[in-house]
Amino acid sequence: MDRNPDAALTLRGSAGPGLSAGERGALGQARAQHVYNALTAAGVAGARLQVTTTSEQDVAGVSIAYAPADEGEP
């Protein structure tokens, strides 16, 4: 992220089966928020991060999508 200071990350939290849709959404949100908190504590600007969640049955965890400001740069 240092190479491209205008880039952003989307943090998408999810939870596996065995929970209701509401519980999966809440757990996914908490997971993504935990990653957000760790990144901002490490110095990443919160404005560069978007926290989302899903209530779909998915693999539990947080997926991170990198969106470079300039598609021509790595």
Side-chain angles (χ1 to χ4, degrees):
M1 301 229 5
D2 289 338
R3 288 186 193 175
N4 195 339
D6 295 326
L9 295 178
T10 299
L11 312 170
R12 181 178 169 261
S14 59
L19 301 171
S20 71
E23 291 169 328
R24 286 191 304 272
L27 182 55
Q29 179 70 27
R31 287 176 168 160
Q33 188 65 48
H34 182 78
V35 174
Y36 173 94
N37 293 344
L39 289 171
T40 56
V44 177
R48 298 177 68 188
L49 306 171
Q50 178 183 10
V51 175
T52 65
T53 188
T54 180
S55 60
E56 299 291 323
Q57 289 187 17
D58 207 344
V59 175
V62 176
S63 60
I64 300 173
Y66 174 71
D70 179 3
E71 292 296 327
E73 291 188 28

